[in-house]
Amino acid sequence: ASALVGQAFAPMGMEHQQRFVRHVEPGCPYRQDDVMAPEQAVSTGTTIMAVEFDGGVVMGADSRTSTGNYVANRASRKISKVHDRIFVCRCGSAADTQALTGFVMNYLGQHAVELGKLPTVNTAASLFKMLAYQNKDRLMAGLIVAGWDEKRGGQVYSIPLGGSVVRVPYACDGSGSGYISGLIDATYKPGMTESECVEFVTKAVAHAMARDGSSGGMIRTLVITKDGLKESALEGNKLPFGP
């Protein structure tokens, strides 16, 4: 009885938290987190990359989307269209980055109508930065905004977790980026051609996929120039480097 009285008058939030779980038959084929607790958030634990060259940019990403240790999608698209010549590579929370992209697409579309011509990559990056910075304590979103415009040509902007924005000649982010930072530093050289940039991005992402458990699937690349877009996908069994 005294234990019950003590529990009844315990301060708010101090009561023993009982976890209610479903009964699981022995030999149940379901995963532990399917039955015992809510699933972890879907994240694009990933490798994303973009490189500038004279006349445009090359963007690349793996295609694995994970939910904890479970691969939720092995062929996802982490390079999202923002406008005709502006795209964004997304890493972090899939929900957060998709929501940000949706907002920026809306604002940039209105801006383009008012402008009467294609918006600049800098404007798109600034919009992403504004939303990411103002909500930095509520979001988990790492972004690389890249594209081509007639004002500045090919551009790459890195927007890491805190919501800052930096224009860079090349950018790499995601869980796989730490495994290949040395390779990128050793391989990158200014003034590379389009084909050299595609080869560089493909090689770097393939090495990250071999080392990082959250990166995998296939490599999607996108080339953005004045003349348009060139998209390609390299299947997992045709990578330049494998485990």
Side-chain angles (χ1 to χ4, degrees):
S2 61
L4 286 171
V5 171
Q7 193 172 359
F9 291 97
M12 285 288 287
M14 296 291 287
E15 305 92 349
H16 174 66
Q17 294 290 316
Q18 184 181 357
R19 287 181 70 225
F20 293 97
V21 294
R22 283 172 259 174
H23 173 69
V24 185
E25 294 290 334
C28 170
Y30 298 120
R31 297 196 333 268
Q32 184 81 356
D33 63 342
D34 267 346
V35 184
M36 305 305 272
E39 284 197 355
Q40 295 180 40
V42 175
S43 76
T44 54
T46 179
T47 306
I48 53 173
M49 205 172 160
V51 189
E52 271 182 27
F53 67 90
D54 184 28
V57 291
V58 176
M59 302 176 85
D62 73 304
S63 66
R64 177 173 293 178
T65 298
S66 47
T67 310
N69 294 325
Y70 180 74
V71 177
N73 187 353
R74 68 193 176 107
S76 59
R77 291 179 181 271
K78 297 175 186 180
I79 307 174
S80 301
K81 184 177 181 179
V82 182
H83 209 267
D84 294 359
R85 297 279 193 283
I86 306 167
F87 284 72
V88 60
C89 284
R90 305 177 289 109
C91 74
S93 162
D96 290 354
T97 54
Q98 282 172 14
L100 281 178
T101 305
F103 282 122
V104 173
M105 283 172 72
N106 179 32
Y107 292 137
L108 205 65
Q110 292 179 41
H111 175 65
V113 170
E114 290 172 6
L115 218 59
K117 57 182 181 179
L118 293 177
T120 63
V121 186
N122 183 46
T123 303
S126 298
L127 278 169
F128 272 110
K129 180 263 301 183
M130 185 182 76
L131 291 167
Y133 181 74
Q134 288 173 355
N135 301 281
K136 63 180 179 287
D137 50 347
R138 290 183 285 272
L139 294 173
M140 192 172 79
L143 306 158
I144 298 171
V145 181
W148 179 92
D149 62 55
E150 56 190 15
K151 199 172 181 182
R152 297 184 186 91
Q155 300 144 76
V156 175
Y157 293 90
S158 177
I159 305 172
L161 244 53
S164 57
V165 63
V166 192
R167 186 179 173 182
V168 287
Y170 62 92
C172 186
D173 205 349
S175 58
S177 62
Y179 295 92
I180 55 165
S181 50
L183 174 71
I184 290 170
D185 291 342
T187 313
Y188 175 79
K189 57 183 191 288
M192 287 196 289
T193 63
E194 179 187 320
S195 58
E196 284 175 327
C197 285
V198 172
E199 188 184 338
F200 169 53
V201 167
T202 306
K203 182 182 176 183
V205 176
H207 274 81
M209 286 162 66
R211 291 285 178 185
D212 178 32
S214 300
S215 301
M218 55 184 171
I219 299 175
R220 295 187 186 276
T221 56
L222 176 69
V223 181
I224 309 167
T225 61
K226 179 184 179 180
D227 302 322
L229 313 170
K230 278 185 271 183
E231 197 176 1
S232 65
L234 191 64
E235 292 94 334
N237 60 343
K238 295 175 184 169
L239 302 180
F241 182 83

